[in-house]
Amino acid sequence: MPKNTEVTKSLKENTLTAAAIYIASGVDPSTSNIFVQSHVKQHAELSWLLSCSLPLNWLERMIQYKDKTATAKEGEVGTGLLTYPALMAADILLYGAEVVPVGEDQRQHLELTRDVARRFNDLYCKGGPWKKKAKEYGVPSYPVFREPAAQIVKGGARIMSLSDGRNKMSKSDPNPNSCINILDSPDVIVQKIKAAKTDDIVGIFEDTSRPEANNLMSIYDITSQGDGEDVSGMSWGEFKPILATSVVEYLKPLQKRYEEVRNEEGYLEGVLKEGKEN
């Protein structure tokens, strides 16, 4: 077990890295608050309130929980995996979001958030007693929570694993070659794409029976921003270097901006402090 000082230092570095990636990706601190979730206690407080009115079977049907419990041994799955969707719902509902940009794999979480908001409003925000209490405290009597809508882009809404085109790409995958990280170096990206799983069908084209081909083509479409060359007649050996170059070039401006943000002493700490206070 690492010493407390090592854990604290690692947590701080990971926090600053995440904040820097947000900014490098285009989130502007002057218009969007960036803060550490645990520094705003209302997230945990609302999570607890929502958990108290959230049916257990709603949480048990969440895909991540079902997938994990289906393969894990008894005692291996923590309660946090079961209750995490309540915290995610709190993260959204706390700010009255109308639209939330998410990937396809997060659609179920957002649907749960909508269900939780509707259930809470139905249970506690209707009828005479509610209106009377709202009037007593001088607050509007309309429902407390807004039901947010999902905003899912058509292209790249769900990026799959490089080692198995049937599973989503995840940084928690035990196989390090299964995903491309935003801060991966060009050499690492080239190696990961070179090792990416493919099939033995001649020609590169999308087809429902070719999950790996679909995934690599999707990545190419995104990173080439629709400006890529025609690769349909190529072999995988010819296509993979082109794909790797496309990914490297796509991430280059983001990685450059990341380094600028990380190297500006005190900047990120100031952004997080201001985000918490606002």
Side-chain angles (χ1 to χ4, degrees):
M1 181 71 181
K3 296 180 180 179
N4 288 340
T5 53
E6 295 174 354
V7 172
T8 301
K9 183 178 180 181
S10 175
L11 178 60
K12 180 180 179 181
E13 285 302 307
N14 290 339
T15 300
L16 294 177
T17 294
I21 288 175
Y22 284 150
I23 296 172
S25 299
V27 179
D28 185 352
S30 67
T31 57
S32 302
N33 287 342
I34 302 175
F35 56 89
V36 180
Q37 182 199 51
S38 59
H39 290 180
V40 180
K41 64 178 183 177
Q42 287 83 356
H43 285 260
E45 292 172 345
L46 181 55
S47 174
W48 169 250
L49 290 175
L50 296 179
S51 296
C52 291
S53 60
L54 220 171
L56 180 61
N57 66 317
W58 288 16
L59 296 173
E60 290 175 332
R61 70 188 183 203
M62 299 302 288
I63 293 174
Q64 287 90 339
Y65 180 77
K66 288 173 65 176
D67 288 350
K68 188 70 174 180
T69 53
T71 57
K73 297 178 181 178
E74 184 177 355
E76 284 186 345
V77 180
T79 307
L81 184 62
L82 178 68
T83 59
Y84 174 69
L87 178 59
M88 183 179 288
D91 293 341
I92 297 170
L93 297 177
L94 194 60
Y95 298 96
E98 295 181 355
V99 178
V100 181
V102 293
E104 181 62 42
D105 61 316
Q106 293 299 316
R107 183 189 292 274
Q108 189 187 32
H109 281 282
L110 197 65
E111 290 174 350
L112 178 72
T113 299
R114 291 172 55 84
D115 291 341
V116 170
R118 190 179 304 119
R119 177 178 172 81
F120 191 96
N121 290 337
D122 287 344
L123 287 174
Y124 306 115
C125 307
K126 287 185 176 181
W130 160 252
K131 291 181 180 179
K132 182 178 179 181
K133 189 169 288 294
K135 184 177 181 181
E136 178 184 346
Y137 286 97
V139 297
S141 60
Y142 52 73
V144 171
F145 296 123
R146 179 181 288 136
E147 296 180 28
Q151 183 183 60
I152 302 177
V153 295
K154 292 182 179 180
R158 189 178 180 88
I159 301 298
M160 312 307 285
S161 167
L162 295 181
S163 58
D164 186 347
R166 296 165 298 178
N167 295 323
K168 71 172 184 176
M169 184 178 286
S170 172
K171 60 181 181 293
S172 60
D173 193 307
N175 180 359
N177 289 324
S178 68
C179 73
I180 296 174
N181 299 300
I182 290 177
L183 301 180
D184 278 346
S185 69
D187 288 345
V188 169
I189 292 173
V190 169
Q191 288 302 315
K192 286 183 176 181
I193 291 179
K194 184 178 180 180
K197 183 181 178 182
T198 55
D199 54 38
D200 55 3
I201 299 175
V202 178
I204 298 176
F205 54 88
E206 296 186 70
D207 187 282
T208 54
S209 64
R210 305 182 70 189
E212 284 77 26
N214 294 341
N215 188 42
L216 295 182
M217 282 300 297
S218 178
I219 295 173
Y220 184 57
D221 288 342
I222 294 167
T223 56
S224 66
Q225 301 181 57
D227 235 5
E229 58 184 289
D230 181 11
V231 299
S232 58
M234 295 183 181
S235 66
W236 287 115
E238 294 169 323
F239 172 61
K240 282 186 173 181
I242 294 174
L243 174 59
T245 299
S246 182
V247 173
V248 169
E249 291 301 314
Y250 182 79
L251 291 177
K252 186 179 293 183
L254 192 154
Q255 293 178 345
K256 179 182 178 183
R257 175 59 179 149
Y258 169 83
E259 292 298 332
E260 292 171 353
V261 171
R262 283 295 264 144
N263 291 330
E264 188 172 344
E265 189 174 351
Y267 172 70
L268 286 172
E269 289 85 345
V271 167
L272 295 176
K273 181 180 179 181
E274 186 175 344
K276 173 192 172 183
E277 295 172 348
N278 291 339

